Amino acid sequence: MSTINSGLAAGIVQTAYILVAALFIMGLKRMSSPSTARGGILWAGMGMVIATLVTYLLGDFNLNLALVIVATAIGGGFAWWTGKRVAMTDMPQMIALYNGMGGGAAAAIAAVELYRGPTESPVFGSLAVLGGLIGAVSFSGSGIAFGKLQGLIKKSFRFGGQQFVNMLILAIAVILGVLLATGINTSAPVVTGFFVLALVLGVTMTLPIGGADMPVVISLYNALTGLAVAFEGFVLQNAAMIIAGMVVGSAGTLLTQLMAKAMNRSLGNVLFSGFGDTAGAATGTVSGSMKSIEASDAGVMMAYAQKVIIVPGYGMAVGQAQHKVWELAQLLQNNSVTVKFAIHPVAGRMPGHMNVLLAEAGVPYDIISDLEEINAEFETADVALIIGANDVVNPVARNDKSSPIYGMPILNADKAKNVIVIKRGQGQGFSGIENALFFLDNTRMLYGDAQGAVNQLIQAVKSSG
Amino acid sequence: MNGVIAIYIFMLAAFTGYEVISRVPVILHTPLMSGSNFVHGIVLVGAMVALFNAHGLLELSIGFVGVILAAGNAVGGYVVTERMLEMFKSSNKKAPAGGHH
């Protein structure tokens, strides 16, 4: 059958997969520290190359082998081309896209098995069906998540009884799945119906979810794809797929929980209620007025400060201001000002996204602190500079029970001696909630786009020295 | 492999994933999600096997699409993760000379 003795080939492949699984796990482990993280992805990458190459031993010299080579080149080429070009700000949706492709591949494996006819046993059938369902949902759901973050889909579609419709689609898909898994009816129309329903479910589940919750959803679909891969791995009796898929399934689930917790949202809440529904509440509790400041005065204030804490938000990234912000920080450092960056877990579009954007500008990771490390330090800071961040510094989250963001951990920027907020205009944040920080006595508003305002600050610091 | 062994593998791999991730600092969450996204790109080997064993136009077509999608997952996941992690550096040591893309 095979290009070389098929028993020997299978033996080589099985042995190589053990090495591959080890490389994946050690690679993920190395990714747990900034200093070894780069090596981690290289190890995992090596594992993938080995896995792919040895798997070619299982093919014959026929049309199928040619198709595999062509398909690998098309998919790999597309991903290489897009992955090299994507801007760091657009990373979350690209992760969603590539993840969705993985889910689709798992569903495709299930589809090939199921169209072939009854599976070996109900156990194989059940796992093939389950992996197919999860993979297909992850595929279409991730596609919608990509569309939303990319700005292709602007609206959140909600209608009464949406949950009921979703449950109905799921129920019918499960019934068809049971027919397939048990071998009662494995005809092509049933298989087709099953996959169509699963794809529709991914769409209807994801459409109502607001943009702010998308990171949690992407993370969830990442975990689901892992599970789908593990289940299809069992169907194919492929240990590398089972191990790698399951590791991602559990790691992704943990990551999803961490993200949801950082946003003060439960997973159920994200999936079954739209964030937009609560917007507009709690606007009456904010009192006082916003006071503006000129860039020249703000620059002098920072140049003569002992310690400045910069709080960047997604607004900074949208304005592509991270390079200018790092230039400003270096100027201040030269004036012997201690500069630190404070990152909220959900700054940017997913946890850690802001760190990536700052790293891109060249900010070393050891002056970047997360919420728990930095919150006690705001009291000793002369200036907290807020650039394009809003909800994550809103003190309302601490004390206003009626606010939708009540209970969300925030950066204590309001505790700094002076707070300077760079903001485009007087509008509200992503969630549409009024920010009490902007109205405090020690807060000054510096109006302008992030890039321009930071540029003015740089000039001001330069001329003050 | 029989069912019981498979359940052991499922269980141990689940614990492994949980343990490995639980020590990751928040600053690496995005690259890590991307990295784990890359790891399930191993679905590529499954899609390859499915296409190797496919017969008839329907199976061949689905298998072909499956390999395209899986290769996209693996390659895309690797490229973006590597790009992100390449940028992380400490202020204590000099960055390796120049980006090159």
Side-chain angles (χ1 to χ4, degrees), chain A residues 17 24-25 28-29 31-34 37-38 41-42 44-45 48 51-52 55-56 58-59 64-65 67-68 70-72 74-76 79-80 83-86 88 91 95 98-99 101-102 104-106 108-109 111-112 115-116 139 218-219 222 225-226 229-231 234 236-238 241-244 246-248 250-251 254-255 258-259 350-353 355-356 359-360 362 364-366, chain B residues 1-4 6-7 9-55 58-93 96 100-101:
Chain A
Y17 282 173
F24 281 162
I25 291 168
L28 278 176
K29 173 87 187 141
M31 280 188 228
S32 66
S33 158
R38 175 94 199 285
I41 184 66
L42 293 178
M48 192 68 77
T52 311
T55 304
Y56 274 109
L58 299 175
N64 299 41
L65 180 66
L67 286 176
V68 168
V70 172
T72 311
I74 295 174
W80 182 273
K84 283 288 184 196
R85 272 158 193 78
V86 60
M88 285 297 155
M91 235 10 127
I95 297 173
Y98 298 138
N99 172 55
M101 292 177 84
I109 294 171
V112 170
Y115 274 120
R116 188 172 293 151
F139 174 67
I218 294 172
S219 181
N222 184 42
T225 302
V229 170
F231 292 157
F234 179 80
L236 297 172
Q237 295 286 290
N238 184 317
M241 281 172 73
I242 297 180
I243 295 172
M246 207 61 208
V247 165
V248 174
S250 75
L254 177 61
L255 208 52
L258 289 175
M259 282 190 199
M350 56 171 68
H353 187 206
N355 304 80
V356 171
E360 186 192 16
Y365 59 78
D366 45 6
Chain B
M1 95 195 67
N2 68 41
V4 179
I7 291 170
I9 298 179
F10 275 121
M11 186 185 72
L12 292 173
F15 280 123
T16 305
Y18 196 89
E19 282 302 311
V20 166
I21 297 304
S22 62
R23 295 189 193 91
V24 173
V26 179
I27 70 160
L28 285 173
H29 274 185
T30 292
L32 185 80
M33 196 211 283
S34 182
S36 58
N37 175 32
F38 163 68
V39 166
H40 67 53
I42 190 67
V43 71
L44 176 58
V45 302
M48 287 169 69
V49 170
L51 182 50
F52 281 145
N53 299 328
H55 302 283
L58 181 66
E59 287 180 22
L60 283 172
S61 311
I62 298 171
F64 187 71
V65 172
V67 174
I68 291 179
L69 292 174
N73 182 184
V75 174
Y78 181 83
V79 170
V80 297
T81 309
E82 204 265 347
R83 272 185 64 197
M84 283 190 271
L85 290 177
E86 189 188 42
M87 299 181 312
F88 281 87
K89 54 179 185 283
S90 157
S91 56
N92 300 324
K93 52 177 190 231
H100 46 80
H101 289 301

Side-chain angles (χ1 to χ4, degrees), chain A residues 110-458:
Chain A
V112 170
E113 293 291 327
L114 293 171
Y115 274 120
R116 188 172 293 151
T119 48
E120 263 179 61
S121 74
V123 178
F124 279 83
S126 306
L127 286 175
V129 163
L130 204 52
L133 176 69
I134 297 172
V137 167
S138 172
F139 174 67
S140 58
S142 296
I144 298 295
F146 170 81
K148 285 205 166 201
L149 289 181
Q150 189 71 18
L152 301 174
I153 304 168
K154 296 232 164 61
K155 279 184 64 185
S156 293
F157 298 84
R158 297 195 192 93
F159 55 88
Q162 200 155 19
Q163 298 309 328
F164 176 75
V165 172
N166 286 352
M167 291 310 291
L168 191 68
I169 296 172
L170 179 63
I172 301 173
V174 167
I175 292 169
L176 295 184
V178 169
L179 292 179
L180 292 171
T182 51
I184 293 173
N185 185 345
T186 56
S187 62
V190 176
V191 180
T192 307
F194 169 74
F195 280 105
V196 168
L197 285 173
L199 291 171
V200 170
L201 181 62
V203 173
T204 56
M205 258 177 71
T206 319
L207 271 179
I209 299 171
D213 285 334
M214 231 15 112
V216 179
V217 175
I218 294 172
S219 181
L220 177 69
Y221 285 143
N222 184 42
L224 287 179
T225 302
L227 280 183
V229 170
F231 292 157
E232 297 310 326
F234 179 80
V235 174
L236 297 172
Q237 295 286 290
N238 184 317
M241 281 172 73
I242 297 180
I243 295 172
M246 207 61 208
V247 165
V248 174
S250 75
T253 306
L254 177 61
L255 208 52
T256 309
Q257 283 170 344
L258 289 175
M259 282 190 199
K261 203 174 134 208
M263 297 169 76
N264 194 36
R265 307 270 284 147
S266 76
L267 202 51
N269 222 335
V270 168
L271 291 176
F272 302 119
S273 76
F275 196 59
D277 296 347
T278 50
T283 46
T285 56
V286 175
S287 60
S289 61
M290 295 198 208
K291 295 160 282 286
S292 66
I293 189 171
E294 292 300 316
S296 51
D297 297 333
V300 172
M301 194 193 278
M302 288 195 288
Y304 291 97
Q306 298 265 309
K307 186 180 197 173
V308 172
I309 298 179
I310 300 176
V311 182
Y314 193 64
M316 180 199 75
V318 170
Q320 286 292 319
Q322 56 268 42
H323 294 89
K324 285 284 164 201
V325 170
W326 175 224
E327 193 184 332
L328 173 67
Q330 284 173 303
L331 268 179
L332 292 172
Q333 284 176 332
N334 292 342
N335 276 7
S336 34
V337 179
T338 305
V339 181
K340 289 203 170 177
F341 286 84
I343 310 282
H344 190 274
V346 295
R349 280 191 155 167
M350 56 171 68
H353 187 206
M354 190 54 65
N355 304 80
V356 171
L357 297 169
L358 290 177
E360 186 192 16
V363 181
Y365 59 78
D366 45 6
I367 64 167
I368 303 176
S369 308
D370 65 26
L371 186 134
E372 274 137 43
E373 293 165 346
I374 199 91
N375 253 352
E377 284 194 45
F378 276 105
E379 285 171 32
T380 66
D382 300 292
V383 179
L385 176 64
I386 320 291
I387 308 174
N390 196 338
D391 294 333
V392 298
V393 289
N394 192 346
V396 156
R398 230 184 271 135
N399 43 37
D400 182 357
K401 287 199 171 120
S402 67
S403 173
I405 60 168
Y406 175 74
M408 179 174 88
I410 57 158
L411 290 162
N412 296 335
D414 55 320
K415 302 276 169 76
K417 293 188 190 81
N418 299 283
V419 181
I420 298 171
V421 179
I422 296 179
K423 205 167 174 301
R424 197 179 272 276
Q426 304 203 344
Q428 294 159 347
F430 206 32
S431 60
I433 302 159
E434 198 76 74
N435 193 333
L437 176 73
F438 302 165
F439 297 89
L440 293 179
D441 288 337
N442 57 338
T443 301
R444 294 292 177 274
M445 308 299 289
L446 177 56
Y447 292 112
D449 70 292
Q451 174 100 248
V454 174
N455 231 342
Q456 289 176 343
L457 285 177
I458 290 172

